[in-house]
Amino acid sequence: MSESKLFSPAKAGAIDLKNRVVMAPLTRNRARAEDDTPHDLHVEYYRQRAGAGLIVTEGSQISPQGKGYAWTPGIYSDAQVEGWKKVTDAVHAEGGKIVIQIWHVGRISHSVLQPGGVDPVAPSAIAANSKTFDGTQFIDTPMPRALEENEIPAIAEDFARATRNARKAGFDGVEVHGANGYLIDQFLKDGANKRDDAYGGSVEKRMRFLKEVMDAVTGAWSADRVGIRLSPFSNANDITDSNPQETFSHAIRLLNTYGLAYLHLVEGQTGGPRDIPEGGDLAALYTLFDGARMGNNGYDRASAVEAVESGALDLVAFGRAFISNPDLVDRLKKKAPLNEPDSDTFYGGGEKGYTDYPTLAENSVAAQ
């Protein structure tokens, strides 16, 4: 019996992939506290997982304003670029491909994480019933400040700068984070965007920030090196929309005009049920996009194989399974058992629960 298509080569725009298993972006909160720079621990973590067809890094803020959690890395300073360069060199030395997820969290932040202790920003002054991590504990996200119309283009330029820095750092591309209730998602969904100017109101106006970001990013690097992540039906970070099918049909039609590397969709609730609300049609959204389609949320070997074999997806992203199985692709190929992840070590800390999960080979040696 021939090997599953899941383990066959693929292309995501200009990026050649050795298989169709993607390491999903996973916030792990281990950047250097003083300057949000990745370091040697990140080098080893990502190197271990270079068997993936593609690694998407943890979300990395495009500016100090874009930061929402303690100890998340950035991609706006020279030191951060140098830190990430060591990561990309290590992944490439192992034959892997890696893109960086670039994000701005918008209202999912706190003044203690913002430069000068200012309020977080958002499309509208509407607080999210959510929490963030300040380095000591989880705290409620506060009322944000609504962005002035003339401030918004500068944020799009921050995305462009982050993209240029990603090129300098040796990444194979970038993934724009447009999901999970962060800034782009806040502009797209009408529960968080109550603006009455050029950036809000009609579904077309709510697309404007997304378009400006994508224009900026694809102006900084060719579109076939750019992917985007969306979560049409997810209410992560207290985000809602009155008609997500309509909203994201518009968004994906817009995105399809760029010739992007891939579209990455969170299917259902982020990290939760895969259920789609009444009126929602995930397959219809995928059909609006001509590039590589990446699905994410709760996939196991069987469902990933089926999705790729059927042609529903080109790529399948795995999250938690990659946390605890650095050799996940090898394990999936061999139908081998998986290590269970330790949720107590997901966020913050050092090597424990980060770089110390054993491979199949190491398990075999230990068993002898």
Side-chain angles (χ1 to χ4, degrees), residues 10-11 32 69 145 192 254:
K11 286 183 74 72
R32 207 159 58 197
Y69 305 88
R145 175 180 68 81
L254 168 64

Side-chain angles (χ1 to χ4, degrees), residues 49-71:
R49 289 154 179 80
L54 180 67
I55 293 173
V56 184
T57 73
E58 61 211 280
S60 301
Q61 54 260 18
I62 58 170
S63 66
Q65 184 196 69
K67 180 177 179 176
Y69 305 88
W71 313 325

Side-chain angles (χ1 to χ4, degrees), residues 56-329:
V56 184
T57 73
E58 61 211 280
S60 301
Q61 54 260 18
I62 58 170
S63 66
Q65 184 196 69
K67 180 177 179 176
Y69 305 88
W71 313 325
T72 54
I75 185 63
Y76 55 86
S77 74
D78 290 342
Q80 291 160 358
V81 170
E82 288 305 307
W84 280 120
K85 183 70 167 65
K86 294 176 183 177
V87 170
T88 62
D89 284 348
V91 170
H92 292 151
E94 297 288 340
K97 297 292 175 69
I98 183 169
V99 300
I100 185 170
Q101 188 187 66
I102 52 177
W103 71 343
H104 189 304
V105 302
R107 67 182 184 173
I108 309 302
S109 186
H110 196 281
S111 59
V112 300
L113 298 164
Q114 290 289 308
V118 299
D119 292 331
V121 298
S124 302
I126 302 171
N129 181 20
S130 188
K131 291 184 181 294
T132 188
F133 182 64
D134 69 357
T136 303
Q137 60 187 337
F138 283 91
I139 55 176
D140 292 334
T141 51
M143 178 70 72
R145 175 180 68 81
L147 284 159
E148 298 291 337
E149 188 170 358
N150 62 7
E151 294 180 277
I152 297 173
I155 298 177
E157 176 52 36
D158 286 340
F159 274 96
R161 179 181 60 176
T163 302
R164 291 191 292 270
N165 282 342
R167 294 186 71 174
K168 291 179 190 174
F171 284 99
D172 296 293
V174 298
E175 177 177 289
V176 176
H177 197 343
N180 297 349
Y182 298 117
L183 187 61
I184 292 174
D185 208 22
Q186 290 162 29
F187 270 94
L188 290 175
K189 291 180 177 173
D190 58 17
N193 184 349
K194 302 297 185 184
R195 301 179 73 93
D196 58 6
D197 59 10
Y199 291 92
S202 68
V203 66
E204 292 82 7
K205 287 184 176 181
R206 284 185 278 119
M207 299 295 129
R208 179 171 174 174
F209 180 60
L210 172 65
K211 183 179 188 304
E212 289 183 356
V213 168
M214 299 311 295
D215 287 348
V217 170
T218 58
W221 206 347
S222 59
D224 57 7
R225 295 279 178 177
V226 177
I228 187 165
R229 189 186 207 199
L230 301 174
S231 55
F233 305 110
S234 176
N235 303 119
N237 288 310
D238 195 34
I239 198 79
T240 61
D241 189 77
S242 60
N243 190 342
Q245 190 72 25
E246 178 190 35
T247 296
F248 284 88
S249 293
H250 273 79
I252 294 171
R253 287 191 187 99
L254 168 64
L255 293 166
N256 196 49
T257 65
Y258 288 92
L260 300 178
Y262 65 84
L263 172 68
H264 177 183
L265 293 188
V266 177
E267 301 179 353
Q269 295 299 324
T270 306
R274 292 176 49 82
D275 302 338
I276 304 300
E278 185 176 352
D281 186 340
L282 202 59
L285 293 180
Y286 277 125
T287 62
L288 298 174
F289 189 75
D290 295 327
R293 295 153 299 160
M294 183 191 304
N296 180 310
N297 198 18
Y299 279 93
D300 58 14
R301 187 190 193 281
S303 57
V305 166
E306 195 280 329
V308 172
E309 296 286 355
S310 71
L313 297 176
D314 302 290
L315 311 166
V316 179
F318 291 80
R320 291 186 177 208
F322 258 118
I323 288 178
S324 52
N325 297 276
D327 57 342
L328 180 64
V329 176

